[in-house]
Amino acid sequence: MGIVNLTPKQIVAELDRYIIGQQDAKKAVAVALRNRFRRSRLPDNIKDEITPKNIILEGPTGVGKTEIARRLAKLVRAPFVKVEATKFTEVGYVGRDVESIIRDLVEAAIRLVKVERIRDVQDRAREFAEKRVVEALYRLKNPVETPDATGQTVAAKEQTRQELLKWLREGKLDDTIIEIDLADEPKPMELMPGSGTAINIGEMFGGMIPKRRKKRKVTVKEAIKLLVAEESEKLIDNDSVNEEALRRAEQDGIVFIDEIDKIAGREGKTGPDVSREGVQRDILPIVEGSTVSTKYGPIKTDYILFIAAGAFHIARVEDLIPELQGRFPIKVKLKSLAKEDFVNILTVPENAVTKQYGNLLKVDNINLTFAPDAIDEIAEVAELQNDIHENIGARRLHTIMEGLLEDISFNADGNHPMINLKVDRKYVKDNLSKTHSRKDLKEYIL
């Protein structure tokens, strides 16, 4: 599957469905993505000379940095991995190196390609799975088959199987318990923790060791699911999957390095800064372009798009070593969220937090809605809380909503007809008065 052809405006429009504001950041990633598509249409001799323009997103926590990168990767079905830069400051203790980032990216690509290939063979896999389940059901009905002493002909046996298949597809046999035979695949053993290098004993001996099987008693519904997965694995070519995944990771991969401000440290300093600068120098080769060994083969990092992010409250982008700064030519500042942003976050996105709580409580027969004045009050409380305490951006809304709906969530049990419950400004004030009172908070604003 090639790179998805979306214009920058289309990419921004898709991101707008889930992320409020931050248009500069959205435009930057949209252009970077479109340039990747443009590059894919060039002759090889020109294409090889063009590398992605990596991006640094600077802004407080909870304003959408990670979500922009994650949604971007999902939008174009690109392999994506997120890593915190700070985890490598103790690399000597936990035994991981920065090349593990790229190995994780390849694993993400393997999963992505495998899901696509499995989807392509799903219909055939289901046919084979149904055939195996029908045989198990037939054996259950006829545990001991005798020669045609009963007068049952081959045609009659086939008719019985067809009837079982019909009932199976109609869901009439979902809860029937049957015994099925499944492959018992041993898990690959990692040679060294964190090394990314693993061995599969079965593969080493080229299939000379017979594969182990195990019998399981499950419902027909569960059997179909397990057997479709097993038959799908048989139908896809794993060598082709690995080859395509390596190509996809190299050409389409996106690596999101969070908390990069926490490793900002320059020469001439002692203490933790030495470790931080060491991590920067370790990260530099994979961002510059190098070849990393993985268990699926070598991968070049030259064309992977790196997006780094950090709050930069104390350190500055300029505190990163010059070589690393130069590899992130695009720098975008994200804005802190204001009251209007919180109002939009609560109402506009497809996954808005108010919609999430509404769907959860609907399970227990409560139809929860929010009046506009309630949304306004929640947004104002969120803005004030972030001003006074640590600014955690949109994550503040989850704290507020949990406190606001605690009683409703606790008492809801679904043992009643559907109840319509509308939250208004008065309800918000009454239920947040102890910990999130707008009046109390305003006394502290200078």
Side-chain angles (χ1 to χ4, degrees):
M1 185 179 291
I3 296 172
V4 176
N5 179 11
L6 291 173
T7 67
K9 287 182 179 178
Q10 288 173 325
I11 294 167
V12 171
E14 286 296 315
L15 294 175
D16 283 342
R17 294 170 56 195
Y18 301 98
I19 303 156
I20 296 300
Q22 313 302 358
Q23 296 306 114
D24 290 345
K26 289 176 185 174
K27 285 179 182 177
V29 297
V31 169
L33 213 62
R34 182 63 182 183
N35 282 340
R36 177 170 275 184
F37 170 78
R38 291 163 180 156
R39 175 182 172 274
S40 71
R41 294 297 185 267
L42 297 175
D44 288 343
N45 62 324
I46 300 175
K47 183 193 301 184
D48 292 343
E49 300 298 321
I50 299 174
T51 55
K53 304 303 179 282
N54 299 322
I55 303 166
I56 285 187
L57 302 177
E58 179 184 351
T61 185
V63 296
K65 301 187 297 294
T66 305
E67 192 66 8
I68 285 173
R70 184 179 285 117
R71 290 287 175 185
L72 188 73
K74 193 173 182 180
L75 180 61
V76 294
R77 298 189 290 277
F80 173 81
V81 66
K82 174 183 180 287
V83 64
E84 284 76 31
T86 48
K87 72 187 285 187
F88 299 106
T89 56
E90 297 179 357
V91 65
Y93 300 99
V94 297
R96 288 178 66 88
D97 62 348
V98 294
E99 288 188 348
S100 65
I101 298 171
I102 305 303
R103 295 190 188 104
D104 290 345
L105 182 69
V106 173
E107 292 290 349
I110 294 284
R111 290 192 296 271
L112 193 68
V113 175
K114 189 168 274 191
V115 165
E116 291 174 1
R117 296 289 172 86
I118 285 175
R119 193 182 298 126
D120 292 340
V121 300
Q122 197 77 178
D123 291 343
R124 286 173 60 202
R126 186 171 181 88
E127 283 180 24
F128 290 132
E130 286 177 344
K131 194 171 182 180
R132 289 173 66 180
V133 169
V134 165
E135 286 306 310
L137 287 164
Y138 185 82
R139 287 195 304 271
L140 192 67
K141 189 176 180 182
N142 304 276
V144 179
E145 278 203 292
T146 57
D148 295 328
T150 59
Q152 190 179 31
T153 64
V154 173
K157 292 177 183 178
E158 183 58 29
Q159 184 179 353
T160 301
R161 288 185 172 91
Q162 288 301 319
E163 286 176 356
L164 288 170
L165 180 61
K166 180 174 178 290
W167 294 339
L168 171 67
R169 289 177 174 171
E170 290 173 353
K172 294 178 179 177
L173 303 172
D174 281 356
D175 297 326
T176 304
I177 302 293
I178 59 171
E179 187 175 74
I180 56 171
D181 202 31
L182 292 170
D184 188 13
E185 293 286 349
K187 291 183 179 179
M189 293 187 298
E190 202 165 20
L191 294 177
M192 184 182 296
S195 67
T197 306
I199 57 170
N200 187 308
I201 301 297
E203 289 177 1
M204 278 181 63
F205 290 95
M208 288 187 291
I209 300 175
K211 289 188 176 182
R212 293 173 57 187
R213 309 287 298 179
K214 61 181 178 182
K215 292 188 180 295
R216 285 186 60 183
K217 288 190 174 182
V218 293
T219 64
V220 165
K221 188 174 183 178
E222 181 68 12
I224 288 288
K225 186 172 152 187
L226 293 169
L227 293 173
V228 165
E230 182 171 294
E231 294 295 338
S232 297
E233 286 285 345
K234 293 179 188 175
L235 290 169
I236 62 175
D237 180 356
N238 281 318
D239 289 337
S240 170
V241 168
N242 296 346
E243 185 181 337
E244 171 63 13
L246 278 174
R247 187 203 67 77
R248 195 91 68 91
E250 273 191 357
Q251 301 296 325
D252 305 350
I254 299 174
V255 172
F256 183 78
I257 306 175
D258 203 5
E259 297 184 348
I260 199 165
D261 55 318
K262 304 287 177 58
I263 61 165
R266 303 295 294 274
E267 293 180 13
K269 294 187 178 181
T270 57
D273 290 316
V274 176
S275 172
R276 292 170 190 167
E277 185 181 332
V279 175
Q280 292 181 62
R281 294 200 178 279
D282 286 344
I283 288 174
L284 187 58
I286 65 170
V287 179
E288 281 183 323
S290 59
T291 301
V292 175
S293 296
T294 76
K295 64 182 179 183
Y296 305 102
I299 173 176
K300 292 174 67 177
T301 67
D302 302 62
Y303 308 110
I304 293 170
L305 175 64
F306 290 88
I307 301 175
F312 291 98
H313 289 314
I314 301 171
R316 300 174 304 155
V317 174
E318 292 74 19
D319 291 331
L320 296 168
I321 59 174
E323 300 94 322
L324 194 58
Q325 285 184 55
R327 291 295 168 178
F328 289 88
I330 301 173
K331 299 176 180 65
V332 184
K333 283 195 173 185
L334 284 80
K335 301 171 185 175
S336 293
L337 300 175
K339 177 183 172 181
E340 184 181 347
D341 296 314
F342 285 118
V343 169
N344 289 329
I345 290 168
L346 287 164
T347 55
V348 175
E350 294 188 9
N351 62 337
V353 65
T354 50
K355 297 173 185 175
Q356 292 178 27
Y357 279 100
N359 288 328
L360 284 172
L361 288 169
K362 199 165 283 184
V363 173
D364 281 327
N365 293 337
I366 293 178
N367 183 29
L368 183 70
T369 56
F370 292 82
D373 61 355
I375 297 292
D376 186 80
E377 184 71 19
I378 294 168
E380 185 161 348
V381 170
E383 183 183 40
L384 292 169
Q385 281 279 321
N386 278 346
D387 283 343
I388 291 173
H389 304 294
E390 187 73 22
N391 185 352
I392 58 173
R395 295 186 181 96
R396 180 69 63 188
L397 290 174
H398 292 282
T399 305
I400 292 171
M401 292 293 285
E402 282 295 323
L404 179 65
L405 300 175
E406 182 180 24
D407 286 343
I408 298 172
S409 297
F410 181 79
N411 291 306
D413 56 16
N415 295 323
H416 49 73
M418 185 66 74
I419 297 172
N420 292 318
L421 179 60
K422 189 168 189 175
V423 175
D424 58 14
R425 188 188 297 273
K426 183 179 183 304
Y427 183 92
V428 175
K429 285 183 175 181
D430 290 345
N431 286 272
L432 294 181
S433 59
K434 293 181 182 178
T435 55
H436 298 88
S437 171
R438 182 177 64 174
K439 181 179 177 183
D440 292 345
L441 290 173
K442 281 187 170 179
E443 294 175 1
Y444 296 93
I445 300 294
L446 300 178

